[in-house]
């Protein structure tokens, strides 16, 4: 009887030769299953010194910013055209005057700011004054070179606002403290703490859709209508420069 | 005896009040509330120059300060009353010059001004929210404390200088 061409030996010897191939197959299957994750990670680690420099990244970011600016401008123009059609206030965008705060009385009986721009720069009584983030008050009186601003926090200050999320109107009333009071007109309110408060889109006295404050707390059982306390977005006691929206 | 109101330099010192009100130095405030500069100036003036001059000076300062305020509130009645009262105190009895007395008079003066403004907010403008009451009392007391603390330093110095000038 001729000898077999296969090496003789116990059956387990063949399995011992086979298991590295099986392990390799399992590894390759895992690579396939993970969509080559290990290889990509290894490649990323090895090729990191040769990645594109920050210049291209900045270029992409600035391109993105430019694109957003262009989109914003187009939307602004579109919005202005639609508001013209509806005969509403034109809103923000044009006619803003930057003014320095030259005197500040945010913690006194008269809560007001004095601005370093006046009637000669186009400011007039009733103009909206915008701090970084949102509305802080309205121009009360002007001289040729200065303007006096009554802050939203001043006692007796009243401004019509609305809550964009629930589309409900309210009155923002200054009570002296840094947090004005929000008096709702409807009895059934759906607003909740954390909601943004802005000027009304149909406002004729103030620029529409201007952020004003964030609701801090609500008392839905208040009589005759629910009340709330808001935190202004722009803090008047820390503002050094403001934008005045001229009309 | 040269009266203070006859000395231009003394009258001109009142111009510092609106400037200080506008500047409101942050390092002279107590939790953001500044002193009543009108009270700090009027106290020594009225003590040296008498009730009539004190009342007129109070009215003059109040008119200027009311012009600097937004609108609807006035310090006129409080400052006229204080000028008259301090003027009478200066004319009767021993001269007031101790730091504690000056501080106490300035504290009372700032409280009178604050309460008069609070009453105007409440009675004339009809504002009576609980938050507003809390803010008004806090402002009243804080302003009175900082005014009373500064009076022994500022008003006693003014009193000394003006008494010397009025005797000259």
């Amino acid at each position: 009887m001729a000898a077999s061409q296969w090496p003789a030996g116990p059956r387990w010897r063949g399995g011992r030769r086979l298991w590295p191939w099986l392990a390799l197959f399992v590894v390759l299957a895992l690579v396939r299953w993970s969509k080559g994750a290990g290889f990509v990670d290894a490649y990323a680690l090895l090729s990191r010194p040769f990645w594109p420099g920050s210049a291209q990244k900045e270029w992409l970011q600035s391109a993105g910013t430019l694109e957003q600016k262009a989109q914003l401008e187009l939307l602004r123009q579109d919005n202005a055209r639609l508001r013209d059609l509806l005969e509403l206030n034109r809103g923000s965008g044009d006619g803003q005057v930057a003014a320095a705060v030259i005197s500040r009385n945010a913690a006194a009986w008269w809560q007001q700011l004095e601005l370093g721009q006046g009637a000669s720069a186009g400011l007039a009584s009733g103009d909206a004054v915008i701090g970084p983030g949102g509305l802080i008050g309205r121009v009360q009186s002007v001289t040729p070179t200065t303007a006096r601003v009554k802050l939203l926090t001043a006692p007796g200050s009243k401004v019509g606002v609305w809550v964009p999320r629930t589309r409900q109107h309210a009155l923002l009333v200054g009570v002296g403290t840094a947090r004005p009071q929000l008096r709702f007109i409807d009895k059934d309110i759906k607003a909740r703490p954390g909601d943004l408060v802005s000027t009304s889109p149909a406002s004729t006295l103030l620029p529409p859709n201007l952020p004003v404050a964030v609701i801090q707390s609500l008392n839905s059982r208040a009589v005759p209508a629910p009340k709330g306390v808001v935190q202004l977005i722009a803090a008047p006691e820390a503002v050094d420069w403001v934008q005045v929206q001229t009309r | 005896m040269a009266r203070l109101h006859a000395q231009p330099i003394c009258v001109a010192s009142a111009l510092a009040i609106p400037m200080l009100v506008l500047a409101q130095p942050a390092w002279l405030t107590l939790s953001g509330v500044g002193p009543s500069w009108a009270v700090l100036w009027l106290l020594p003036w009225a003590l040296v120059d008498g009730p009539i001059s004190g009342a007129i000076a109070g009215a003059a300062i109040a008119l200027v300060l009311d012009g600097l305020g937004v609108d609807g509130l006035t310090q006129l009645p409080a400052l006229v009353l204080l000028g008259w009262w301090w003027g009478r105190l200066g004319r009767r009895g021993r001269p007031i010059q101790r730091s504690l007395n000056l501080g106490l008079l300035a504290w009372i003066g700032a409280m009178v001004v604050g309460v008069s403004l609070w009453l105007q907010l409440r009675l004339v403008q009809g504002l009576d929210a609980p938050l507003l009451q809390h803010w008004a009392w806090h402002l009243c007391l804080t302003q009175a404390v900082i005014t009373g603390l500064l009076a022994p330093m500022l008003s006693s110095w003014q009193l000394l200088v003006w008494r010397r000038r009025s005797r000259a």
Side-chain angles (χ1 to χ4, degrees):
Chain A
M1 191 174 165
S4 170
Q5 285 182 349
W6 299 99
R11 195 172 278 246
W12 60 268
R13 265 195 196 167
R16 202 172 170 185
R17 276 188 201 151
L18 207 59
W19 76 261
W21 298 106
L22 281 172
L24 181 65
F25 175 76
V26 169
V27 169
L28 290 177
L30 280 174
V31 169
R32 169 66 188 86
W33 178 69
S34 67
K35 297 188 189 302
F39 281 97
V40 176
D41 287 343
Y43 172 75
L45 191 69
L46 291 171
S47 64
R48 189 172 288 267
F50 310 103
W51 282 7
S54 59
Q56 196 170 10
K57 183 182 166 191
E58 284 165 13
W59 179 77
L60 280 172
Q61 281 176 346
S62 71
T65 312
L66 276 173
E67 184 192 343
Q68 284 175 351
K69 274 185 184 170
Q71 272 185 350
L72 189 65
E73 189 54 39
L74 287 171
L75 288 171
R76 193 173 276 167
Q77 286 172 6
D78 207 23
N79 194 26
R81 186 177 57 79
L82 292 170
R83 295 188 76 85
D84 275 346
L85 287 174
L86 292 170
E87 294 179 352
L88 291 172
N89 192 0
R90 273 295 292 263
S92 57
D94 44 356
Q96 283 199 343
V97 177
V101 176
I102 58 172
S103 171
R104 187 197 321 268
N105 264 326
W109 292 100
W110 292 268
Q111 297 204 346
Q112 61 188 37
L113 302 177
E114 296 285 344
L115 306 182
Q117 296 279 16
S120 56
L123 273 61
S125 180
D127 285 350
V129 181
I130 305 155
L135 186 76
I136 58 168
R138 292 178 70 193
V139 174
Q140 182 83 10
S141 60
V142 288
T143 69
T145 55
T146 66
R148 184 168 299 154
V149 179
K150 187 174 185 177
L151 295 173
L152 295 178
T153 54
S157 159
K158 286 178 185 169
V159 170
V161 292
W162 91 319
V163 183
R165 191 181 67 81
T166 60
R167 301 185 173 201
Q168 283 180 310
H169 286 271
L171 200 61
L172 192 71
V173 181
V175 288
T177 61
R179 290 164 188 165
Q181 204 173 51
L182 193 66
R183 292 184 191 163
F184 286 92
I185 295 163
D186 303 332
K187 283 192 175 179
D188 181 27
I189 56 163
K190 290 166 190 146
R192 56 177 182 241
D195 278 350
L196 179 77
V197 176
S198 71
T199 55
S200 168
S203 172
T204 51
L205 294 173
L206 292 166
N209 300 320
L210 199 62
V212 179
V214 174
I215 298 177
Q216 200 172 36
S217 63
L218 283 171
N219 179 9
S220 54
R221 293 181 185 174
V223 183
K227 288 179 184 174
V229 174
V230 301
Q231 176 73 52
L232 293 180
I233 294 173
E237 66 274 8
V239 172
D240 286 332
W241 280 85
V242 294
Q243 297 279 336
V244 183
Q245 181 77 47
T246 57
R247 287 187 289 182
Chain B
M1 194 180 199
R3 306 295 299 271
L4 282 185
H5 59 261
Q7 301 183 45
I9 186 87
C10 296
V11 176
S13 67
L15 293 174
I17 302 169
M19 294 300 144
L20 284 166
V21 168
L22 285 173
Q24 199 67 272
W27 49 280
L28 283 177
T29 58
L30 193 63
S31 73
V33 180
S36 174
W37 295 107
V39 166
L40 288 174
W41 184 90
L42 185 65
L43 174 60
W45 177 278
L47 285 175
V48 174
D49 220 33
I52 305 280
S53 173
I56 292 171
I61 297 167
L63 286 174
V64 174
L65 293 185
D66 289 350
L68 292 178
V70 173
D71 56 359
L73 295 176
T74 176
Q75 300 187 54
L76 194 92
L79 288 180
V80 168
L81 182 74
L82 288 171
W84 176 263
W85 177 49
W86 287 335
R88 283 176 65 86
L89 282 181
R91 285 280 179 267
R92 292 181 174 187
R94 296 174 63 188
I96 293 169
Q97 55 196 8
R98 291 181 65 182
S99 296
L100 187 68
N101 293 346
L102 287 172
L104 190 63
L105 286 176
W107 186 88
I108 294 170
M111 278 302 284
V112 168
V113 171
V115 169
S116 80
L117 292 171
W118 169 221
L119 285 176
Q120 287 171 55
L121 276 178
R122 190 165 180 164
L123 301 177
V124 180
Q125 297 193 16
L127 303 172
D128 195 20
L131 275 174
L132 189 74
Q133 279 187 28
H134 174 262
W135 165 78
W137 283 118
H138 170 260
L139 189 57
C140 252
L141 289 168
T142 315
Q143 192 163 52
V145 168
I146 187 70
T147 309
L149 286 174
L150 285 176
M153 287 178 270
L154 299 178
S155 300
S156 61
W157 174 74
Q158 282 168 276
L159 201 63
L160 193 70
V161 172
W162 284 347
R163 274 201 178 129
R164 274 188 198 153
R165 292 190 73 95
S166 68
R167 283 185 197 128

